[in-house]
Amino acid sequence: MEMAPINPVGEKDTSLPQQQWDWNPQKNLDSAPRLRQHPQEPPTEVLELRVSPDPASQSLENLQGTEKLSAGLEEDSDKSHRSASEMPEPLQASDLWYCPDGSFVKKIIIRGYGLDKPKLGSHCRVLAFGSGLPEGWTELTMGLGPWREETWGELIEKCLESMCQGEEAELQIPGHSGPPVRLTLASFTQGQDSWELEASEKEALARQERTRGTELFRAGNPEGAARCYGRALRLLLTLPPPGSPERTILHANLAACQLLLGQPHLAAQNCDRVLEQEPGHLKALYRRGVAQAALGNLEKATADLKKVLAVDPKNRAAQEELGKVIFQGKKQDAGLAQGLRKMFG
């Protein structure tokens, strides 16, 4: 029986409803212009008759008029202040948020409202501009949908998780030379944190992620598949002991992706997790052997590949890989011998 290096399995994902949102900041500015249009009272002096009103009554009238005008100004000023406080407040260029994994820096252009942020299952209405993004208004569901497997999907999702409603932000991406990426989160519905989900809900979402990951892997997209497997694992890690048996499959599949992505160190770690639970897992032994060979650990690679062939002697993939490891070891030995001869000859 032969064992191919890669063999995950899968199913399909869901799409998302839409939500409308409208906001007109100009509606709060009506009160300010009216302040300048209060008519002034005519003067009390009548020059033709050369008659002046009683000084005491004139002072009283002037005082009352001043108090009325002052009260009107204070009232309109309060309305103006309230209106201004309801509008989004522009921030300074120093208002930056650094993504914990270092993938981007968010520069806040307009502050949003409230403290809530999108969570798993939130339906978001987003305005996006920038290189590689679907420009214009977009409807997205956090944690669900094929949009997350696009090259920009993970970036947008991580940014949205840090944004409030009405916020506008510009993303600074290391190594990105195109036009700046800009996002506006117009609105979103209430979602849930992963810890708020029932165990059955987490397992269902993890199965969807695994299925989607396998579809992407078979389509030649190991990077997108790795993101799906990683998200599925994060959901299952929060389950109470003994956890889900799906974790073993996900770690093995993730290792296959990481080998194709040139990440042998991570692949070896995921195989270790599989073999801790199932020491005889042939795919994990094979993939760890390949990873160790790529890291230059030829003895460890040889040991893993021989374990595979001890159980499945006709496994051609393991035979070929072991042959490469043996050849590489002989080449290293020959180089070492030649160096010793030069040193002592």
Side-chain angles (χ1 to χ4, degrees), residues 296 298-299 302 325-341:
L298 301 185
E299 291 185 3
T302 300
V325 172
I326 292 173
F327 176 77
Q328 191 175 352
K330 289 180 178 179
K331 190 175 179 180
Q332 283 186 0
D333 292 341
L336 179 61
Q338 186 177 1
L340 291 173
R341 284 195 298 270

Side-chain angles (χ1 to χ4, degrees), residues 11 30 35 37 73 106 157 160 174 177 212 300 318 341:
E11 71 189 53
D30 295 335
L35 294 177
Q37 298 176 5
L73 288 172
K106 182 181 74 171
E157 187 167 43
L160 290 176
S177 57
R212 180 60 181 163
K300 292 182 178 180
R341 284 195 298 270

Side-chain angles (χ1 to χ4, degrees), residues 6-12 146 149-150 210-226 228-229 257 260-261:
I6 300 155
N7 190 20
V9 272
E11 71 189 53
K12 234 175 188 178
E149 279 70 65
E150 301 291 340
R210 175 191 166 189
T211 298
R212 180 60 181 163
T214 300
E215 291 174 355
L216 291 170
F217 191 91
R218 290 175 174 170
N221 184 0
E223 187 175 2
C228 289
Y229 295 142
C257 297
L260 293 177
L261 294 170

Side-chain angles (χ1 to χ4, degrees), residues 41 64 96 265 274:
E41 297 180 4
Q64 291 173 345
L96 303 176
H265 181 67
V274 175

Side-chain angles (χ1 to χ4, degrees), residues 35 38 63-79:
L35 294 177
H38 286 299
L63 179 59
Q64 291 173 345
T66 303
E67 288 175 349
K68 289 179 181 179
L69 178 60
S70 176
L73 288 172
E74 289 175 0
E75 181 181 356
D76 286 348
S77 176
D78 289 341
K79 291 179 181 178

